[in-house]
Amino acid sequence: KRIAPFRTFDQVIAVSNHLAKQFPREKVTIIYNGIANTFFRGEARDSPNTPPLLLAVGRLVQAKGFDVLIEAVANLPVALRIAGDGPERVRLQSLIDRTSTAGDIQLLGARSDVHELMQHADAVIISSRREGFSYVLNEALLAHCRVLSTDVPVANEVLPDRLIVPINDPLALRERLQDLLTAPRQWSALMQKPHELAEQLMTLTAMTDQTIALYKKVLAT
């Protein structure tokens, strides 16, 4: 019902393949959301932190699956930092307080230096139960971070299968993390194509150029 009015449009822009499937192929164009590509892009390092430092970013709500992430890392020798604030903060802090962990987990609250946090982390983890378009993924890719994500758009469209885990499955997330952390160079190699794709399609310039081109095409017909 929510998308019914859009079906009458001559052309619709969708920000993911998942959303595009709801429209006739000839009436939809996929254009990823873009952000300003002004980051300093350093190469991912080989285990610069001991223990490995993982970063998650987002509003503290049920949809982001941070409770699943906390459970997943509970018995791993890692440090987890979650940047963001929201109504789930008290519940998540309670979960952290009663979790037995070999590493440490901290809620950082709302931050204005997410890019700097990404540059110092060994990997960015997306544990969402659902997403429309993840700007966290976008920023992580443009910052040349390693990423592991649940099976949500747009991560499941640009990351290789090995970097996608089932939604709401802490065991699968923990096992994949353990596997990837033992081979950081291989993880970095898996990120090469997603990083290149982000440079091509996920910048503000790319989004603007594609949108203008589509408007010109529609006006011409």
Side-chain angles (χ1 to χ4, degrees):
K1 292 182 179 180
R2 292 180 179 179
I3 68 169
F6 296 98
R7 296 186 186 277
T8 64
F9 287 14
D10 294 310
Q11 189 69 203
V12 174
I13 294 174
V15 298
S16 71
N17 291 324
H18 174 73
L19 293 174
K21 291 177 181 178
Q22 302 177 71
F23 299 94
R25 182 175 299 179
E26 67 277 7
K27 284 194 171 187
V28 64
T29 299
I30 300 167
I31 300 178
Y32 289 141
N33 287 331
I35 58 177
N37 190 16
T38 58
F39 306 125
F40 170 76
R41 296 181 297 279
E43 294 301 322
R45 296 162 293 173
D46 294 332
S47 300
N49 304 299
T50 303
L53 177 60
L54 308 177
L55 176 68
V57 182
R59 183 163 165 76
L60 304 186
V61 293
Q62 194 263 355
K64 297 299 182 181
F66 293 132
D67 54 334
V68 176
L69 178 56
I70 291 167
E71 184 179 348
V73 305
N75 296 308
L76 296 182
V78 300
L80 171 64
R81 302 291 180 261
I82 301 176
D85 207 349
E88 289 275 289
R89 183 178 183 119
V90 172
R91 188 177 77 86
L92 292 174
Q93 187 60 60
S94 177
L95 179 60
I96 292 169
D97 291 342
R98 65 175 185 267
T99 295
S100 174
T101 176
D104 68 291
I105 306 171
Q106 294 180 24
L107 301 178
L108 301 180
R111 299 289 292 255
S112 61
D113 59 343
V114 168
H115 175 63
E116 287 75 14
L117 294 173
M118 286 182 173
Q119 288 293 330
H120 289 91
D122 292 285
V124 173
I125 311 300
I126 297 171
S127 55
S128 300
R129 291 182 169 93
R130 58 183 181 274
E131 287 283 353
F133 183 96
S134 173
Y135 279 101
V136 173
L137 172 70
N138 193 330
E139 187 167 350
L141 292 179
L142 289 175
H144 282 200
C145 296
R146 302 182 184 99
V147 181
L148 175 63
S149 175
T150 49
D151 191 8
V152 294
V154 165
N156 57 12
E157 298 176 16
V158 303
L159 296 178
D161 290 345
R162 191 179 173 196
L163 301 183
I164 299 294
V165 296
I167 293 170
N168 211 30
D169 190 337
L171 178 59
L173 179 55
R174 178 165 65 245
E175 290 178 345
R176 190 64 52 84
L177 263 175
Q178 288 177 301
D179 179 44
L180 292 168
L181 288 171
T182 63
R185 289 189 179 183
Q186 292 180 20
W187 194 348
S188 295
L190 290 170
M191 294 302 308
Q192 183 176 348
K193 288 185 178 180
H195 289 161
E196 293 173 353
L197 184 144
E199 294 281 357
Q200 296 168 5
L201 300 178
M202 292 184 170
T203 65
L204 187 59
T205 298
M207 180 185 71
T208 302
D209 289 346
Q210 292 176 81
T211 302
I212 292 173
L214 178 61
Y215 270 70
K216 289 180 177 178
K217 177 182 176 182
V218 173
L219 287 172
T221 57

